[in-house]
Amino acid sequence: MNLDIVIYLALIALGLPVLANGRRFTWLFAGLGGMLAVLSLITKDVTVAWTTVLALGMGLVDWSSTMVVIAALVAGVALGALTMLATRPAVALASFAGVGFVCMNLAILFGVGKPWAMALYVVAGIVAATAVFMRPDWGIIIASSLTGAGAVAFGTCLLYTSPSPRDS
């Protein structure tokens, strides 16, 4: 089984409950944020079909799919567990990663260059994290909705366009 498909299914499976109940399940929202942070920074080319249009990450390192899945799971579990101890900072970090992921991928989808897309990732993440600190209730609602919707949309897009074993 191709491990890239596991990543796509995990994005969809975690994105749906975060989209529906992100404020109630802050630990799940934080876990998805940790996973998206790893995917945003590590993954070079998760998909073959859309590498020029929609790349999940900036490709800081070129790791195998197995290492990407392990790193994403570790970051997700770590940030989810951190939520049990310090909710607001962990949720702010998840908001930074999740909203930044969505904005970066939308920018890449619309043809913005990768350095500018990464700058947009940072700016959108700072705005989202600040919103969580300033207005926690509304900040979590908006950030978790954007993160969940983005994870479901990009996971579905990538799952639909990924190469199928039937194609060869």
Side-chain angles (χ1 to χ4, degrees):
M1 181 176 178
N2 190 355
L3 283 177
D4 292 343
I5 294 175
V6 173
I7 295 171
Y8 309 152
L9 292 175
L11 283 174
I12 296 167
L14 290 174
L16 285 173
V18 167
L19 176 61
N21 294 317
R23 184 169 173 245
R24 181 178 297 164
F25 301 125
T26 54
W27 54 272
L28 187 62
F29 169 49
L32 178 62
M35 184 178 158
L36 292 177
V38 167
L39 292 177
S40 298
L41 298 176
I42 290 178
T43 308
K44 185 166 234 162
D45 292 320
V46 172
T47 182
V48 175
W50 279 25
T51 51
T52 58
V53 178
L54 179 65
L56 271 180
M58 293 293 111
L60 298 181
V61 292
D62 190 16
W63 286 2
S64 68
S65 295
T66 307
M67 289 305 297
V68 170
V69 169
I70 290 171
L73 287 175
V74 167
V77 169
L79 198 54
L82 181 63
T83 305
M84 302 299 176
L85 299 173
T87 303
R88 196 178 285 183
V91 170
L93 187 59
S95 299
F96 180 91
V99 174
F101 172 84
V102 171
C103 290
M104 177 185 68
N105 281 312
L106 283 174
I108 291 171
L109 181 66
F110 289 120
V112 175
K114 285 192 176 186
W116 290 104
M118 191 59 164
L120 184 61
Y121 178 93
V122 171
V123 169
I126 289 172
V127 169
T130 304
V132 167
F133 271 112
M134 300 297 282
R135 299 276 189 196
D137 290 337
W138 283 104
I140 292 172
I141 290 170
I142 293 169
S144 66
S145 298
L146 286 173
T147 302
V152 170
F154 289 111
T156 305
C157 242
L158 294 171
L159 185 64
Y160 180 69
T161 60
S162 67
S164 172
R166 296 182 305 251
D167 293 341
S168 49

